[in-house]
Amino acid sequence: MKNRLLKVKRRTRNSLSRKEILDVSLNIIQKEGIHSLNMRSIAKHLKCSVASPYNHFKNQSEIIKTLIQDGEKKLESDLQIARTRGKDVFSQLSEIAQTY
């Protein structure tokens, strides 16, 4: 029996979005650590060429910067919501601490 290399089905041109890249990047960081994040690993997870993510981001640093900014926005929003759940200053502080 011959060993056959199976071709990985690639994505069609321009089918990649910034959100997909960010979602996969965050997933890689959470599961494998930030040291495992690079354009090659992103492309592998997205089944696209290594060049494709560059259509949306200048480099890996820009992806990380965007993830940090998005995370800060989410945290700020979550903290504001937590503050409104408390009935008095102490319960507000407790809600904020638990959310953080």
Side-chain angles (χ1 to χ4, degrees):
M1 192 179 249
K2 289 184 178 180
N3 287 338
R4 293 183 184 175
L5 295 176
L6 297 175
K7 281 194 171 185
V8 175
K9 187 173 180 175
R10 294 284 182 174
R11 299 173 68 103
T12 59
R13 188 176 294 272
N14 297 323
S15 68
L16 194 59
S17 71
R18 284 179 64 90
K19 182 174 178 357
E20 286 178 290
I21 296 167
L22 292 172
D23 289 347
V24 163
S25 297
L26 184 58
N27 190 283
I28 291 169
I29 292 170
Q30 290 172 335
K31 289 186 178 175
E32 303 171 31
I34 195 159
H35 62 278
S36 296
L37 183 68
N38 56 56
M39 292 307 221
R40 188 168 302 285
S41 65
I42 293 168
K44 181 180 175 186
H45 281 81
L46 291 170
K47 294 180 175 58
C48 66
S49 72
V50 176
S52 293
Y54 287 104
N55 291 326
H56 299 277
F57 295 95
K58 269 192 314 193
N59 52 35
Q60 175 184 332
S61 294
E62 187 179 1
I63 292 172
I64 293 169
K65 180 180 175 183
T66 303
L67 287 171
I68 291 169
Q69 290 170 339
D70 291 352
E72 287 173 342
K73 287 176 190 171
K74 182 176 179 348
L75 177 60
E76 183 179 341
S77 173
D78 290 350
L79 291 173
Q80 289 295 332
I81 292 167
R83 194 179 111 213
T84 63
R85 287 193 300 247
K87 294 180 175 123
D88 57 41
V89 174
F90 297 108
S91 61
Q92 287 176 348
L93 184 57
S94 176
E95 290 287 342
I96 290 169
Q98 288 176 357
T99 299
Y100 189 79

